[in-house]
Structure formats: C-alpha cells, structure tokens
Amino acid sequence: VPLKSCPKVSILVPAYNEENCIADTIESLIEASYPNKEIIVVDDGSTDRTAKIAMQYSSEGVKVFSKENGGKSSALNYGVALSDGDLVIIVDADSIIGRRAIQELVRKFENPDVVAVCGNIKVRNRNNFLTKCQALEFIFGINIARRALDMFGSISVVPGALGAFRRGTLTECGLYDKDTLTEDFDTTLKVLKTGKVIQASAYATAYSEAPATIRDLYKQRVRWYRGNYQTVFKHRDVFTNPRFGTLYRLSFPFLLLNMLILPFIGIIIGASTIM
C-alpha cells in the first residue's frame, strides 16, 4: 500500500570506532526505498578510519560530521541540531536496515497520535551457539513483549538500532540525556510520561551485530542492566503516580517483572536443572 505522503526524514548514525561495519550500514541506508531522506553520520571522535570511510559516500549525499568524543547521547543531539527532517530516525553504526524499513516506520506516523516508532531488531551474525541464542532471545523475549505493549501504544524502549521520533517530540522532551547508560530507554520514558503514543513496526527491520563471545556479552549486559536500573531510578516517580496512565499501569510493572523477578527465576531454574 503506497504511503499517503513522504515527509522528509533525517537518518542519524552515531559512530565511534566502527570502521569494520560503517560501510555496510551506510550502503543499506542509501539502498533503502524512500525518496525524501537525508543521511547524517556523526563521527564521535573516532580514532580509527570511521570518518574516512563514511566520507567516501559523500557523492551519494551522505553528510559526515566529526566532533570530539562525548558519548552516544552527545552525538545524537549533535546530529539532531544539524538535521532538518520532520521525522528523526536513529540507526546504530553496526546495523543494516531492510529496504522497506524507512517507509514502514513512516507509515506508522500516518496516525497523528503516534510520536515515536520502534523498529523490529534481529540478530545479524547468527554464526555460533551464543549468537543463535541471542537471536531467539530477541524473537521471544523482546519482540513478542513489544507486540503486546504496541497494542496499548506504550512501547518502553525505542532502540538505537532502529527507531524514529517526530522532531517536535524529541526537542520538547529535551533530546538525549547523558546521565544514564541507556539513553534510548531514558528518552522513550520521557516521551511516554507526556502521555504520547509510541508504537512498533514488525515490518521495519534492522539486523544488528550481537556479541559473539562470552566476554563481549557480559560487557554488553552489564551496561544494559546498569543503564536500565539508572533509568528506572531516574523515573521512579512513575511507580506512585497514576496520572502516567498506561506507563504506570502496564509498562513499568512489566519492566519490574522483567528486570527483578524473571532473572532470579531463571537462576533458580538453572540451578535446579544442574542439581
């Protein structure tokens, strides 16, 4: 079904030392089927060839800006200031998006009540047992839960791998903060607290690199868990304030279950299996 309109979208790619994958990411964005887009790569003080590789696509209309290293939130805010699209799409520098991903994100915004859309993230490198397990985790543990929250317009995380916001919504909520390790989770909650609708698109796909070793997985999950707890603590007023609606009644109780109770149940099940 054709889109009713094609508003301009600004695709932001924050990148720090991503020379091994930035080319694939940019090429997927160039090939994505959408007529009215700008692609902005923000090199966040990389010490490798990230900026040089990205500059090779300047003839394709890709804009590359370099800044001192300040973290992902800083790079995203920098990119928003340099962009002018009605919709802002965030893509990680190690993600490859599907050809229809942009138009499927935009399709959700045809509903004027929707202010942000979460993409469908899949594991790209399913080449060993660990990454295959993570692929299953994304399908069953993350995307199914998002489908449920989508019914209520209360998606709790618009991921950095692929997500979109109305520009006005981002600026009104103060863009991305630096005080948590999970800036995408934090920004999404700031939007939900205003009572806005956030949905997910099953057809806007992105394929992201999953940690391929136990060490890398451990580092990723420590960052995720630390960032999640930082963010929940920052927005702890939601727990006691019914005025936050679905966020108070559904999303935060689910987060509490997912962060505190289910991990311990998993440990108990694992221990009992071994015994």
Side-chain angles (χ1 to χ4, degrees), residues 16 29 43 97 101 109 118 131 144 156-157 171 182 266:
Y16 176 71
L29 297 175
D43 171 43
I97 71 168
F109 287 105
C118 164
T131 55
I144 288 179
S156 56
V157 182
T171 54
T182 48

Side-chain angles (χ1 to χ4, degrees), residues 103-267:
Q103 64 184 24
E104 293 300 333
L105 289 174
V106 172
R107 190 182 307 281
K108 286 287 186 177
F109 287 105
E110 290 180 346
N111 179 348
D113 294 329
V114 174
V115 299
V117 180
C118 164
N120 183 5
I121 315 303
K122 298 183 178 182
V123 172
R124 174 185 173 192
N125 56 326
R126 292 177 244 185
N127 47 22
N128 64 30
F129 179 74
L130 188 62
T131 55
K132 288 177 182 178
C133 287
Q134 291 174 79
L136 288 174
E137 177 191 22
F138 270 68
I139 293 170
F140 294 106
I142 298 177
N143 287 332
I144 288 179
R146 280 181 180 157
R147 292 280 185 91
L149 294 173
D150 175 56
M151 296 178 62
F152 299 93
S154 189
I155 296 291
S156 56
V157 182
V158 176
L162 179 62
F165 292 89
R166 294 191 190 275
R167 169 179 293 278
T169 298
L170 265 183
T171 54
E172 288 170 11
C173 291
L175 299 177
Y176 290 86
D177 294 336
K178 298 181 179 181
D179 54 355
T180 74
L181 295 174
T182 48
E183 68 290 323
D184 49 1
F185 183 23
D186 177 36
T187 301
T188 306
L189 289 185
K190 289 197 296 181
V191 173
L192 285 175
K193 288 173 78 172
T194 66
K196 306 294 186 181
V197 174
I198 300 180
Q199 290 194 319
S201 171
Y203 303 106
T205 54
Y207 300 86
S208 189
E209 291 280 335
T213 66
I214 293 292
R215 180 181 179 184
D216 289 341
L217 179 63
Y218 174 78
K219 288 168 63 177
Q220 181 200 62
R221 295 311 164 97
V222 167
R223 183 180 67 83
W224 281 8
Y225 284 123
R226 284 185 61 195
N228 286 346
Y229 285 118
Q230 288 172 343
T231 302
V232 169
F233 183 77
K234 176 179 177 179
H235 299 280
R236 60 191 181 278
D237 56 321
V238 172
F239 283 113
T240 58
N241 200 329
R243 77 176 180 86
F244 291 121
T246 307
L247 182 60
Y248 163 81
R249 293 191 299 271
L250 178 65
S251 297
F252 251 50
F254 174 77
L255 286 170
L256 192 65
L257 174 69
N258 201 40
M259 291 170 58
L260 298 180
I261 299 175
L262 291 183
F264 288 107
I265 293 176
I267 292 172

